[in-house]
Amino acid sequence: MIDLDYRPLAFVPVFLAAVVAAQAAARAVFRAYDGAGRIKKRLEVVAIDIGPAGPPTSVLLKAVGRRPGDSIIDPLVRDFDMLVSRTGLSISPKRLVRITGLAATAMWLIFTIFTGAYWGGSPVVALMSLGGFVALASIGLLQWLRATVDTRRKRLERQLPGAMDVIARGLRAGYPVVAAIALAASELEAPLGPELALIVDATTYGADFKDSLKTFAVRSNSDAVGFFATAVGIQSETGGNLGELLEELSVIMKSRSTLRMKVSALASEGKATAWMLSALPFALVAFQMAMNPRFYLDKVGDPIFWPAVIVMGMLFTVGWILMNKIINFKY
């Protein structure tokens, strides 16, 4: 009977975690670069208005998202807390982190018992495998949270035009702004109904109405909700025909939603192709491992194996970024 060495399997989750982390990091870098570019352009306009006496644009740009006394990890913790709050889930971020850690440990134990890979008594290899599972679980958690936030945001944006129509009808009937929002909150389902109810409750218990709208816009992470909050907040202070403004804004958002669905339909074939091409390398490796487990394990000790794996991972990441740029349109 052949005594198989399963220790090289410890590097499988590490490699998968590295590839997925590289993709997530590249997406975050490009997203941050685009956001920083827009902020920089806006700050340059502000610098023209305030003249040479104002602070340099580079100082203002570095100050965005940072608070006095912050450590390196503090902004990351706040971003994670905000991400969890935007999902609408009734779970604390700390508990979510604990559950993820337990799930990663459980997957590692199941993998170890199922494969019979006890790492030859090497704690370093075992810890590397455990670290790979923790990284995979963490990345999976972040992707699931972002997908949940995107799904919730899309539902909010689909419900928002109808909510604005209800608010506009309430205003025409003589309701105050807060009462009209309460009327819309009572008629709409989750997630928009409870969000509007939070605005009404916060205002009822003494919070500033405009601040409640701003908090709603930040929590929703939606440009459409931001337009709604800005319009209602300004019009409630300056006066004017808010009902007519909301009706026009509702028409614009419905047109934008129609355009979004058309673009999504036209890009669906390209997205399906991109997903197939992204999954194909992993599917081929898994098939090869199932048919001939020693095909890759026998080559782990080769000096060129890991440099080749790193180069392939980098090429895969570059290709994934390019495909992601092609299939995602800004409109």
Side-chain angles (χ1 to χ4, degrees):
M1 183 176 181
I2 300 176
D3 187 15
L4 297 179
D5 184 10
Y6 289 99
R7 282 177 295 177
L9 291 176
F11 299 100
V12 174
V14 177
F15 169 70
L16 293 177
V19 172
V20 178
Q23 291 182 359
R27 176 183 291 180
V29 168
F30 278 98
R31 185 181 300 169
Y33 178 78
D34 293 339
R38 291 194 295 270
I39 294 174
K40 184 177 180 180
K41 290 180 182 179
R42 181 58 183 164
L43 290 177
E44 288 174 352
V45 174
V46 174
I48 294 175
D49 294 336
I50 63 178
T57 302
S58 58
V59 175
L60 293 173
L61 187 59
K62 290 180 180 179
V64 174
R66 299 297 299 274
R67 298 177 184 175
D70 270 356
S71 64
I72 298 177
I73 198 173
D74 286 338
L76 299 178
V77 173
R78 286 199 299 270
D79 290 343
F80 180 73
D81 291 345
M82 178 59 70
L83 181 64
V84 175
S85 67
R86 284 172 174 170
T87 60
L89 301 174
S90 57
I91 184 172
S92 65
K94 291 183 180 179
R95 185 180 180 187
L96 202 56
V97 170
R98 288 196 295 267
I99 293 174
T100 303
L102 292 174
T105 305
M107 287 189 297
W108 176 74
L109 289 174
I110 292 172
F111 178 79
T112 302
I113 295 172
F114 180 75
T115 60
Y118 295 100
W119 321 122
S122 174
V124 175
V125 178
L127 288 176
M128 287 183 64
S129 176
L130 178 60
F133 276 101
V134 171
L136 283 175
S138 302
I139 295 169
L141 171 65
L142 291 176
Q143 295 299 326
W144 175 72
L145 289 175
R146 291 195 178 99
T148 304
V149 170
D150 287 340
T151 302
R152 189 171 186 271
R153 176 182 54 81
K154 291 176 182 177
R155 291 187 62 187
L156 277 170
E157 292 178 348
R158 286 197 299 267
Q159 291 178 302
L160 191 57
M164 288 191 292
D165 291 337
V166 174
I167 296 172
R169 289 198 298 269
L171 292 173
R172 284 200 303 268
Y175 282 79
V177 178
V178 178
I181 294 178
L183 177 64
S186 64
E187 294 187 5
L188 293 173
E189 299 178 352
L192 186 54
E195 289 287 349
L196 295 179
L198 284 176
I199 297 174
V200 176
D201 292 342
T203 307
T204 303
Y205 287 104
D208 184 74
F209 178 59
K210 192 173 181 180
D211 290 341
S212 301
L213 289 170
K214 183 179 179 181
T215 302
F216 170 46
V218 172
R219 188 169 56 247
S220 64
N221 192 31
S222 170
D223 292 337
V225 175
F227 296 151
F228 165 75
T230 302
V232 175
I234 293 176
Q235 289 294 105
S236 63
E237 291 183 351
T238 61
N241 194 341
L242 180 58
E244 182 179 350
L245 175 63
L246 290 178
E247 288 178 348
E248 294 176 358
L249 190 58
S250 174
V251 172
I252 293 174
M253 288 184 181
K254 289 176 181 177
S255 301
R256 189 169 181 266
S257 177
T258 302
L259 176 62
R260 183 187 297 111
M261 289 188 288
K262 289 182 179 179
V263 172
S264 178
L266 293 173
S268 59
E269 182 179 355
K271 289 182 178 180
T273 304
W275 279 109
M276 289 178 60
L277 291 176
S278 299
L280 186 60
F282 298 101
L284 290 176
V285 171
F287 178 77
Q288 186 65 46
M289 290 288 290
M291 298 300 296
N292 185 8
R294 305 300 308 178
F295 184 81
Y296 293 109
L297 297 180
D298 289 341
K299 299 175 178 59
V300 171
D302 196 302
I304 203 174
F305 179 80
W306 288 110
V309 169
I310 294 173
V311 171
M312 291 299 102
M314 293 174 61
L315 291 176
F316 177 82
T317 303
V318 171
W320 180 85
I321 292 172
L322 292 177
M323 288 190 296
N324 191 57
K325 287 287 185 180
I326 292 172
I327 63 177
N328 289 293
F329 302 95
K330 293 183 179 180
Y331 46 89

